[in-house]
Amino acid sequence: MTTESVQTKTKDFLGHPGGLSTLFLTEMWERMSYYGMRAMLVLFMTASIQEGGLAITVASATAIYGLYTGSVYLMGLPGGWMADRLIGGQQAVWYGGIIIMCGHIVLAIPNDYTFFIGLILVVLGTGLLKPNIGALVGQLYSSDDKRRDSGYTLYYLGINLGSVIGYTVCGYLRINFGWHWAFGAAAVGMGIGLIMYKKTLIKLEGAGAEPTVRLSPKAAKISWSVIGLFLLAVTVVAYMLMNNLMAFNAVVVAQKFAILATVLFLGYFAAIFFLGNNSPNEKRQLGALFLVCIASIFFWTGFEQAGSSLNLFGQNYTDRIIGTFEIPPEWLQSANSMFIVILSPFFAAMWINMAKKMITPSYGLKCAVGLIIMASGFLVMFFAAQVAATGLKVAPYWLIATYFLHTVGELCLSPVALSAVSKLSPRRFAGQMMGVFVLTYSIGNVVAGLLAGNFDPNKVEDMPSLYLQISLFTISIGIVIFLFTFKTKKWEKLADHQDENRDGAIEQPFN
């Protein structure tokens, strides 16, 4: 095929580079597999043996859930490094997708002993695929291409369409055919994504085909040796878990994971702040960014109750019968993705119109508002849990209202926080600070799993107070962050007047 024909073929995807269609569809099917399986995970682990589940306690199941989701984000750090230094983004996405598919196939096998192997494979594959497919989107555009933001909006739409498909398909199969058929559907979804990726790979026109900075042969050999030792250690641990040769207390492990991730976050942030040769203005900007990071941790701690405590509430205490049809609890979780698709254009227009009127809330203020709105969703659950405590099942609109408030909070905080990282980080540390920021997702997810362990289905009378505590505590954090923004707003404005003489400084000592 000639270069001319390739270029003609690759320029037609809603006015964007043709490669965006490749990444859009690949990510859509990957997210279908991820969210489809994620929606069932806690339900499967807590289901009785007679129902085909693992009969794990709620505390252990939600801790495992938190470890799983937290590890996905943590593994994104080495996954991104491997693409940048060893194999390139294209291969990282391809091999990551294969590993994910194998993980779902293992989960589809009706053998409880292989459960942890399936989870580990999905974690490793997602850590390799997820950060790099997002990076490939950016590589399709030149630095001055004004279509970039619109391209990422389309890409984000693919994520949410995939999650809706995953919730719908896997939820239906789980109810009507059983757990392992649903896990198998996740594998099929990832398989479809891989086929589409391979068949349309030419549309990327070389983006991510090679590492951005290839290591020397000696350094590469050492790196592959370290990776091999890590995979060997993971294999040994999986084997010991399969054969009950190692004690595994999920709650204790999750607690240690949360501590480790927090120490990594604080340590790396402090190192860049104190040892990064930053100017006084850059240190102030990092101070403002730290506030955004704290908001992110607490936001995801609450938001990620969707797959754990709120998921169990949807299964056990929500009236899901319409006529003779039972709504799968997984379908209720799709409300978040649907609301994102519906509300995103309104939020984008709102920020633009506010800017035109010279109303520019600070990053910290937007994050504080998003955190408070998300926390108000648990006030809704407080009233819903009071009804459930009387022995009655509640209508689905209680959960739908909660997910609506969580989505509004997400749209206020999540894209704003990512923008804050790119703008407030010293330019020579921009990539590393994005990696540090990803740790806030990991911390929030694992703490969310630990927090969800307090929601014991046998103690429904305790649920109203637990939801109220989460709401009031998180609102309090949001108010504290809001008060701090009166100071940090001035620091954020310094990002518009960075000392140009420092832009070209060498990134040290953390390369």
Side-chain angles (χ1 to χ4, degrees):
M1 183 179 289
T2 65
T3 303
E4 192 173 307
S5 63
V6 171
Q7 289 176 341
T8 302
K9 182 180 179 182
T10 60
K11 285 184 179 178
D12 185 22
F13 183 66
L14 303 177
H16 289 267
L20 184 61
S21 65
T22 298
L23 302 177
F24 175 96
L25 292 171
T26 304
E27 178 68 347
M28 184 184 78
W29 286 107
E30 186 274 329
R31 290 290 92 180
M32 175 270 172
S33 71
Y34 178 80
Y35 282 107
M37 189 273 277
R38 170 184 171 273
M40 302 181 294
L41 193 54
V42 169
L43 304 182
F44 174 66
M45 288 188 286
T46 56
S48 66
I49 301 295
Q50 292 76 17
E51 295 172 323
L54 300 181
I56 297 176
T57 64
V58 169
S60 293
T62 55
I64 292 171
Y65 171 84
L67 282 168
Y68 166 71
T69 54
S71 297
V72 162
Y73 290 109
L74 191 62
M75 290 306 299
L77 299 178
W81 183 88
M82 284 183 66
D84 287 343
R85 298 294 185 266
L86 292 172
I87 61 176
Q90 287 189 16
Q91 293 220 70
V93 170
W94 172 249
Y95 290 114
I98 291 174
I99 296 170
I100 291 170
M101 184 177 68
C102 291
H104 289 306
I105 290 173
V106 171
L107 288 170
I109 299 171
N111 186 334
D112 298 342
Y113 293 104
T114 59
F115 174 72
F116 286 106
I117 293 179
L119 285 187
I120 290 170
L121 287 172
V122 175
V123 166
L124 294 175
T126 307
L128 196 55
L129 180 147
K130 183 62 178 168
N132 294 305
I133 194 169
L136 284 174
V137 174
Q139 293 178 35
L140 296 175
Y141 302 90
S142 63
S143 58
D144 59 348
D145 194 328
K146 299 187 183 302
R147 298 175 298 169
R148 180 187 297 265
D149 289 349
S150 175
Y152 270 105
T153 300
L154 285 172
Y155 172 74
Y156 201 58
L157 175 63
I159 291 174
N160 287 283
L161 287 176
S163 63
V164 171
I165 295 170
Y167 291 135
T168 304
V169 172
C170 292
Y172 176 81
L173 290 175
R174 199 265 301 177
I175 288 288
N176 293 280
F177 296 95
W179 299 103
H180 298 287
W181 280 92
F183 286 130
V188 171
M190 188 67 255
I192 294 173
L194 284 169
I195 293 170
M196 290 184 170
Y197 178 75
K198 200 66 172 179
K199 289 181 71 67
T200 61
L201 190 60
I202 194 171
K203 292 185 177 183
L204 296 183
E205 297 183 333
E210 297 292 334
T212 53
V213 180
R214 186 178 290 277
L215 296 177
S216 67
K218 182 178 180 181
K221 185 177 180 180
I222 293 172
S223 299
W224 283 116
S225 298
V226 172
I227 293 169
L229 288 173
F230 171 75
L231 293 177
L232 178 62
V234 170
T235 302
V236 171
V237 170
Y239 175 82
M240 294 177 73
L241 288 172
M242 275 182 60
N243 294 277
N244 295 319
L245 299 176
M246 183 176 71
F248 179 72
N249 187 319
V251 175
V252 172
V253 173
Q255 290 170 344
K256 292 181 178 179
F257 182 100
I259 293 171
L260 174 62
T262 303
V263 169
L264 280 173
F265 164 71
L266 294 175
Y268 212 114
F269 200 106
I272 290 177
F273 186 90
F274 292 109
L275 305 177
N277 194 27
N278 299 298
S279 69
N281 283 350
E282 286 175 328
K283 286 188 174 182
R284 292 186 184 98
Q285 289 164 212
L286 284 170
L289 181 57
F290 184 75
L291 205 62
V292 172
C293 290
I294 295 301
S296 178
I297 290 173
F298 283 99
F299 178 85
W300 295 112
T301 297
F303 185 88
E304 282 298 324
Q305 296 300 312
S308 50
S309 67
L310 295 179
N311 198 10
L312 290 169
F313 191 93
Q315 175 182 253
N316 299 322
Y317 306 111
T318 302
D319 183 7
R320 296 178 284 106
I321 304 297
I322 299 179
T324 59
F325 178 72
E326 179 184 8
I327 302 172
E330 293 90 341
W331 288 15
L332 297 174
Q333 291 184 63
S334 68
N336 169 248
S337 299
M338 293 179 182
F339 284 137
I340 286 217
V341 172
I342 295 169
L343 296 176
S344 289
F346 293 98
F347 271 80
M350 180 180 72
W351 299 134
I352 291 172
N353 289 330
M354 288 177 67
K356 288 179 179 177
K357 296 178 181 179
M358 305 302 290
I359 302 173
T360 54
S362 67
Y363 290 124
L365 178 59
K366 290 177 181 177
C367 290
V369 170
L371 187 60
I372 291 170
I373 293 173
M374 184 279 296
S376 67
F378 289 106
L379 287 177
V380 175
M381 290 308 302
F382 164 70
F383 293 109
Q386 283 188 317
V387 175
T390 65
L392 299 174
K393 288 198 172 185
V394 303
Y397 59 71
W398 290 98
L399 275 174
I400 299 298
T402 298
Y403 289 137
F404 173 79
L405 291 169
H406 283 195
T407 303
V408 173
E410 180 184 3
L411 289 170
C412 287
L413 182 142
S414 185
V416 167
L418 290 171
S419 177
V421 177
S422 65
K423 187 173 183 180
L424 299 178
S425 301
R427 292 187 183 179
R428 61 196 178 283
F429 292 121
Q432 295 182 59
M433 285 306 302
M434 186 60 76
V436 172
F437 181 73
V438 168
L439 287 173
T440 66
Y441 298 163
S442 187
I443 296 167
N445 274 264
V446 73
V447 173
L450 289 168
L451 188 62
N454 296 316
F455 290 85
D456 187 345
N458 297 319
K459 297 180 180 178
V460 64
E461 67 277 1
D462 294 340
M463 286 190 180
S465 63
L466 288 171
Y467 282 126
L468 185 62
Q469 289 171 24
I470 293 174
S471 180
L472 295 180
F473 179 76
T474 310
I475 289 174
S476 299
I477 296 296
I479 292 172
V480 170
I481 292 173
F482 171 80
L483 295 175
F484 269 106
T485 60
F486 288 102
K487 182 70 174 177
T488 60
K489 183 176 182 179
K490 301 175 183 177
W491 299 349
E492 290 181 12
K493 289 183 178 179
L494 296 172
D496 296 324
H497 309 286
Q498 289 192 31
D499 184 357
E500 294 181 0
N501 294 327
R502 295 177 58 83
D503 289 346
I506 297 174
E507 185 172 342
Q508 57 179 348
F510 309 105
N511 53 2

